[in-house]
Amino acid sequence: MTHPAHTGHAHGERQASATPPPAQPPGTLYTCPMHPEVRQDHPGNCPKCGMTLEPVLPTLEDDDNPELRDFQRRFWWTLPLTAIVFVLAMFGERWHLMDMRTQTWVEFVLGTPIVLWAGWPFFTRGWQSLLQRSPNMWTLIGLGTGAAYVYSVAATLAPQAFPASFISMGRVAVYFEAAAVIISLTLLGQIMELKARSQTSAAIKSLLGLAPKTARRIRADGSEEDVPLAHVHIGDVLRIRPGEKVPVDGVVVEGRSAVDESMLTGEPLPVSKQAGDKLIGATLNTSGALVMRSERVGSATVLAQIVQMVAQAQRSKAPMQRMADVVAGYFVVSVVGIALLTFFAWGLFGPSPSWVYGLINAVAVLIIACPCALGLATPMSIMVATGRGATQGVLFRDAAAIENLRKIDTLIIDKTGTLTEGHPSFDRAVAAPGWEADEVLRLAASLDQGSEHPLAETMVRAARERGMALDKPESFESSSGIGVRGVLQGRQLAVGNTTLMAQEGVSVTALAAQAEALRAEGASVMHLAVDGVLAGLLAVSDPIKASTPEALAALRAAGLRIVMATGDGHTTAQAVGARLGIDEVHGEVKPQDKLALVERLQKAGRTVAMAGDGINDAPALARADVGIAMGTGTDVAMNSAQLTLVKGDLRGIAVARAISQDTVANMKQNLAFAFLYNALGIPVAAGVLFAWTGWLLSPLIAALAMSFSSASVIGNALRLRTCP
């Protein structure tokens, strides 16, 4: 979301408020959101644009934004005053509420705190823009509102100094309402801007929240203690109980378990771990107990590196309005130059009292050129488009997503949870000769009732959904990572992978071809042995979403190049790619590999969108020209992305592209309206027509023209709601 003067975004967007920033831990680095090359070890303002510097990496405790709170206080405390001043200026004479000289003083008393207190941060920004020699829209807002206020104060305190032609109803016309309304609108826009900007750090905070707060450390004497995560050192021996998260990166020294690494790798099935296997911090230990030795802590962990990648990718983006800001800089200089030229031309060559005429016309130029319409041109279209998208299950995070989505020519798609449902589902049972498929599933599910493994739960759920009566095993033994054994109705059963079958001396040759075919389709295969003889196969897979083929067909028809990148193995990835007609498939990719793929395509001149739902997708989502998250996925993915598909349906991308195209066209129309009013209004305000027609544009007419231009922009933007 942008504010009413967003066109000046790149220079001096934010200034520190009177409220001090929250305390940050020692060693915190601060950077400018608009100029990421600016870094220092203490808080302050950007030397290039005056914006408040913010921490490179936010902390979980840093939830309060004092600047937002300060602007909200200024806005709400002065909004009633602005409303009163506006009503008096527009209707006071018609309603005969009081005599006009008294009304002038009332407007002065009510308007002064709005301008001098609520608008003070904007005057500070305008002053800084002059000191930094970086003219921007804050320069115009400061000069325009300041000139209108100073002129009105002069007209209130010394009305006798003005020509008689400017006296109406017993007073010189004042423009406190113009200054007050502009400041209130700008404050509202700043509040919207700051709230939107806080979302930038939400992805990083979500990532930071994944890590456990403590770790259970085993001392040299065998006793155990819970210590804060920051106190874990390389070489410490840690215990991870079932259901707990792995605290840091390391290696298993004792125990067996299945660890759910899907949050980081995208692989939907838990990975078996035993002594010597590597562990990744923040992953979930599902079943057995593990003892590990820490190898990487702090900023060296995989999770910390993903946090760094997300932060770097977010800050590497150029602001959407950078080109508009360059144009705005020249526009501001031109407007100020015209106002000064108007003042001196009238003062030196105009009729008496020439300098008063010069002042009034210069104020009219600044007011009519004040960038409300320019500032509203983009955010009004964005707000309407955002609402339209939300009703169709498409959530845009910012204007950049809407602007860039229509340009994309390459779409990288994650598999698990994006093309597929994202969770294991029972596929089928294949019976060996002499067995029935339903009986194979029933026996395996009966034995698996004692297992906590997700694949076992999948089979138990499938059997119960089919109304099968499950027997209770007489004995049960879990061999972590390879399967389960037990006795059921006096028969020895074993359910597991080929390693377990080899240990049991069971030949799998009879169904080897069927097993390989199932794996080629992307399924995980388990074997069932009864009394040492193979009884059948059980396949569990991650099913493709029903809407995926239609969505991919629509995207190809729109001319997009489709690329699949997944953490799954190459065989599974190629199988899913073949079923969906995706020619370019990348398997076994890590988070940094997905990020590198996005960057490689961008360097090749492609405009890249990335669609994913997992934490492992977050860096690539943040780095892509447009990141697209599934609403059914993780908070980290949604916070890293610029576009969220609420239902997790890829068909929403085509809907979002249509909205993008309509919105950008609407924004261009709005900008044309705004520039047209300025092009026509500024010369008239400067008094160019006076020599031929005797017309002068008073600041009141200038304020009305400015309001009319804003109304035109708003009306045009609202048309987006009815676009097909």
Side-chain angles (χ1 to χ4, degrees), residues 84-442:
I84 295 171
V85 171
F86 179 78
V87 170
L88 285 175
M90 295 295 105
F91 308 106
E93 180 181 348
R94 183 185 308 172
W95 293 348
H96 304 293
L97 298 176
M98 60 189 75
D99 70 84
M100 299 309 294
R101 290 187 62 84
T102 302
Q103 180 176 316
T104 297
W105 281 96
V106 171
E107 290 182 31
F108 167 69
V109 171
L110 297 179
T112 295
I114 302 171
V115 175
L116 298 185
W117 179 65
W120 185 253
F122 309 143
F123 291 116
T124 303
R125 294 176 182 182
W127 178 247
Q128 281 206 340
S129 72
L130 297 176
L131 294 179
Q132 297 291 336
R133 298 180 182 178
S134 58
N136 52 60
M137 284 308 182
W138 297 117
T139 316
L140 270 192
I141 287 179
L143 288 175
T145 56
Y149 176 74
V150 170
Y151 161 79
S152 299
V153 170
T156 302
L157 300 179
Q160 67 279 2
F162 290 79
S165 60
F166 285 87
I167 297 177
S168 176
M169 301 297 292
R171 71 163 184 173
V172 176
V174 292
Y175 308 101
F176 291 111
E177 84 286 350
V181 169
I182 290 170
I183 286 173
S184 289
L185 282 175
T186 307
L187 275 172
L188 177 61
Q190 279 291 279
I191 290 170
M192 296 166 66
E193 177 79 14
L194 289 170
K195 284 185 175 179
R197 182 163 289 283
S198 66
Q199 306 239 345
T200 305
S201 62
I204 298 175
K205 289 183 179 180
S206 298
L207 284 168
L208 293 172
L210 290 174
K213 303 297 183 293
T214 61
R216 190 162 189 82
R217 183 163 59 193
I218 303 176
R219 298 190 185 99
D221 60 3
S223 60
E224 300 181 5
E225 60 175 342
D226 289 324
V227 297
L229 194 63
H231 293 177
V232 175
H233 304 291
I234 295 175
D236 283 353
V237 179
L238 310 172
R239 184 180 300 281
I240 310 143
R241 291 164 290 194
E244 291 183 339
K245 288 184 176 181
V246 177
V248 294
D249 296 0
V251 62
V252 178
V253 295
E254 180 184 321
R256 289 174 177 262
S257 183
V259 176
D260 182 357
E261 297 182 340
S262 61
M263 64 185 68
L264 294 174
T265 65
E267 169 60 53
L269 302 178
V271 180
S272 298
K273 300 290 183 179
Q274 56 186 350
D277 290 338
K278 297 290 186 180
L279 292 174
I280 303 174
T283 55
L284 182 65
N285 180 28
T286 62
S287 51
L290 294 172
V291 176
M292 67 171 291
R293 182 174 62 252
S294 62
E295 294 184 334
R296 291 191 292 180
V297 301
S299 61
T301 64
V302 170
L303 178 63
Q305 290 170 4
I306 291 179
V307 169
Q308 294 284 352
M309 284 190 287
V310 171
Q312 182 178 355
Q314 286 180 336
R315 297 190 189 281
S316 68
K317 292 183 178 177
M320 183 188 68
Q321 298 261 348
R322 189 174 296 278
M323 184 57 68
D325 294 338
V326 174
V327 175
Y330 291 110
F331 174 75
V332 172
V333 172
S334 301
V335 169
V336 173
I338 292 171
L340 290 174
L341 181 62
T342 299
F343 176 72
F344 285 107
W346 276 94
L348 294 173
F349 306 110
S352 181
S354 60
W355 292 105
V356 174
Y357 277 120
L359 174 63
I360 293 169
N361 290 333
V363 169
V365 168
L366 290 171
I367 289 177
I368 203 168
C370 205
C372 280
L374 280 173
L376 285 171
T378 297
M380 276 305 303
S381 299
I382 295 302
M383 283 190 288
V384 176
T386 302
R388 174 183 160 193
T391 62
Q392 300 182 57
V394 176
L395 302 180
F396 292 100
R397 194 181 78 178
D398 54 25
I402 297 178
E403 185 185 41
N404 292 333
L405 188 59
R406 79 192 203 287
K407 304 176 186 176
I408 64 170
D409 53 33
T410 302
L411 176 63
I412 302 174
I413 308 181
D414 173 52
K415 180 186 78 71
T416 305
T418 305
L419 295 170
T420 66
E421 296 291 351
H423 52 77
S425 174
F426 179 75
D427 188 343
R428 74 193 80 166
V430 178
W435 291 88
E436 295 291 333
D438 283 352
E439 182 65 6
V440 171
L441 173 60
R442 191 188 73 81

Side-chain angles (χ1 to χ4, degrees), residues 267-269 415-417 420-429 454-455 458-459 461-462 517-526 538-545 568 572 575-576 579:
E267 169 60 53
L269 302 178
K415 180 186 78 71
T416 305
T420 66
E421 296 291 351
H423 52 77
S425 174
F426 179 75
D427 188 343
R428 74 193 80 166
L455 292 184
T458 299
M459 284 190 290
R461 183 171 61 251
L518 288 169
R519 294 189 185 99
E521 293 178 7
S524 297
V525 178
M526 289 163 289
L538 300 119
V540 174
S541 62
D542 186 6
I544 292 172
K545 293 179 181 178
D568 283 0
T572 302
V576 173
R579 289 174 62 185

